Amino acid sequence: MQKKRVGVITFHNYDNYGAILQSYALQKKLQEIGTQPEIIDYRCDYISNPFRLVNLKKKGLFNYIYGAIGHICYIPRRFKCNKFRKHMRYSQPVIQGKMQPVAGKYDIYIAGSDQIWDYKLTNFDTTYFLDFVKEGKKKCSYAASIGENLPPEEYQQKYKELLSDFDEILVREDYGADIVENLTEKRPEVVCDPTLLLTAEEWDKLLVEPKYKEKYILVYQLGINKEIVDFARRLHNKTGYRIVYIPFPLVGLLKCDCKITVGPAEWMGLFKNAEYVVSDSFHGVVFALIFNRKFFAKVNGHHMNRRVQQLLNLVKLTDRTMDDVSYEKLTEEIDFTYANEQIARFREHSMEQLRQMRADPCFAPDAWVTTWDSHNPGVLALVRKRGEETLVGLFNFTEYPAGAGLDALGGKYHTADGASVWLADVELQPYQALLVKKA
């Protein structure tokens, strides 16, 4: 069966770590479920050119200056960001009003993830609502974010028309689902950010380990907030650990190692090996959770972050904010057991939504074929979800022994005779088939 072609439109080309990593993660998981995905290389002029006069008029002076500073801060990391982008597949470049080369190219179009539907960020660029797609093509979203509040009344009718034209909508936040329901009278499913679709083990294959041998506090700051700098200093005074700062302290002076040139791979390595993470970034908190690092999150101030609040509610770690942290609590350990279990459940729910999105009448939504994790086109995995059971058939069609590592299907499986099998590492003999299930 020919693989479905999938075109994804998102914030992929901005040198922001979260934007790049969520783009990679969604493409990887779409490949795993048997599609042929491609990121539509679209650039929103309003975001790409923050120094224009129209940006000043729309944003106001403070946000205009803040956006311009952020854009300048991204320049030193561009080389390594582009290096990481080589992991991804892109369409030819397109711009608003000239989308014809990609308007009918794919079987399924996906908008997301990230804050692509927030009119303030894009100057209400309707390209992110797939308004360029030809009739008869499937239009979906995955983990799209619409902002934190209902759009102003002058935008609401247009929002309703654009969203009503989607075949399926999946959003990233509960409050986003409320907004979409208010506009369309249909409540969408909530799914996890694409970065959470990958496990720590999967991300570990892509990261670059830092050279630090001693323990350190990693600070990743996006918003202008002196409290973050002060909190990092306080944590340093308690622990004595070195401070590593990405990119550098925004407001205030602090003795630290500033990291302005690290790319996504180096960024992940710094998170994985940090003793503590201090951040006002949604993806900063996400990767602290993925790698089970002790962390403190800033959820208010200039960089308001209801997304972080929702994530902390999900994993029951709402006490890990910077608000009213006692001296004793600064070095308190975190039990990640419940958080890891919740993220694993959310990940599986979200993967199921992706599989259903890809489904068509000739291929059940709860079944799929993949070669992705085996890295060998002669090795196929047929997977079927049936109630609480997962059925897996592994097939080696080559004349050589072959390994298959289905990391995404973690857990212990059993053969018909009761033998236990771990699908993270399976060796198949020439022309061998292995049939297993997990109840």
Side-chain angles (χ1 to χ4, degrees), residues 28 63 118 172 292:
K28 182 179 189 297
N63 286 325
D118 187 337
R172 189 173 63 183
N292 286 185

Side-chain angles (χ1 to χ4, degrees), residues 98-351:
K98 297 182 179 180
M99 302 294 290
Q100 297 89 339
V102 296
K105 182 179 180 180
Y106 309 102
D107 302 300
I108 302 172
Y109 289 78
I110 297 177
S113 175
D114 226 323
Q115 302 173 76
I116 55 170
W117 290 346
D118 187 337
Y119 72 97
K120 298 187 298 296
L121 288 181
T122 69
N123 198 23
F124 201 24
D125 185 344
T126 57
T127 309
Y128 289 111
F129 293 81
L130 305 176
D131 65 349
F132 61 91
V133 175
K134 289 184 178 179
E135 290 289 331
K137 300 294 184 176
K138 190 172 184 179
K139 295 169 62 172
C140 308
S141 73
Y142 179 85
S145 183
I146 198 170
E148 298 188 351
N149 301 293
L150 192 68
E153 189 172 348
E154 62 264 31
Y155 293 110
Q156 289 180 18
Q157 183 58 37
K158 187 63 175 178
Y159 262 99
K160 182 176 181 179
E161 292 172 4
L162 291 165
L163 294 173
S164 297
D165 198 39
F166 275 72
D167 296 286
E168 185 171 358
I169 295 177
L170 303 174
V171 296
R172 189 173 63 183
E173 295 95 12
D174 290 330
Y175 54 83
D178 294 338
I179 294 171
V180 172
E181 184 177 25
N182 186 296
L183 292 167
T184 67
E185 299 181 356
K186 293 180 181 178
R187 186 168 186 83
E189 288 281 344
V190 177
V191 291
C192 68
D193 186 86
T195 53
L196 287 169
L197 293 175
L198 273 67
T199 64
E201 292 74 23
E202 289 175 288
W203 284 121
D204 197 55
K205 297 173 184 176
L206 292 164
L207 61 79
V208 173
E209 299 283 354
K211 295 180 180 179
Y212 294 110
K213 301 300 181 185
E214 72 271 38
K215 294 180 178 180
Y216 60 88
I217 299 162
L218 177 65
V219 186
Y220 177 46
Q221 183 177 0
L222 294 181
I224 298 173
N225 195 317
K226 187 174 181 294
E227 290 179 45
I228 297 172
V229 178
D230 293 339
F231 189 92
R233 182 184 294 109
R234 184 180 173 210
L235 188 56
H236 163 75
N237 291 339
K238 174 70 183 288
T239 63
Y241 298 155
R242 174 198 296 262
I243 298 176
V244 178
Y245 221 108
I246 304 175
F248 49 80
L250 300 176
V251 184
L253 298 175
L254 184 68
K255 183 180 179 181
C256 60
D257 294 352
C258 298
K259 298 292 182 180
I260 62 173
T261 64
V262 296
E266 295 80 11
W267 183 88
M268 288 191 292
L270 287 168
F271 270 83
K272 177 195 170 187
N273 291 279
E275 190 68 17
Y276 291 91
V277 171
V278 176
S279 186
D280 62 347
S281 156
F282 171 73
H283 285 109
V285 176
V286 164
F287 277 87
L289 288 169
I290 288 172
F291 291 122
N292 286 185
R293 299 292 88 192
K294 288 176 285 190
F295 71 93
F296 290 97
K298 186 66 180 174
V299 296
N300 53 29
H302 174 249
H303 198 69
M304 281 295 290
N305 222 327
R306 285 180 66 188
R307 297 170 291 159
V308 173
Q309 292 173 322
Q310 177 178 305
L311 180 59
L312 295 180
N313 285 333
L314 171 71
V315 298
K316 296 195 182 308
L317 288 175
T318 53
D319 61 334
R320 301 305 300 188
T321 68
M322 297 181 201
D323 301 324
D324 301 320
V325 180
S326 67
Y327 186 74
E328 293 74 20
K329 190 175 177 60
L330 280 172
T331 52
E332 190 176 277
E333 296 293 326
I334 302 177
D335 182 353
F336 284 98
T337 304
Y338 181 80
N340 292 338
E341 291 172 351
Q342 284 294 93
I343 289 172
R345 291 190 192 100
F346 201 13
R347 179 184 297 128
E348 181 51 39
H349 166 74
S350 302
M351 285 300 302

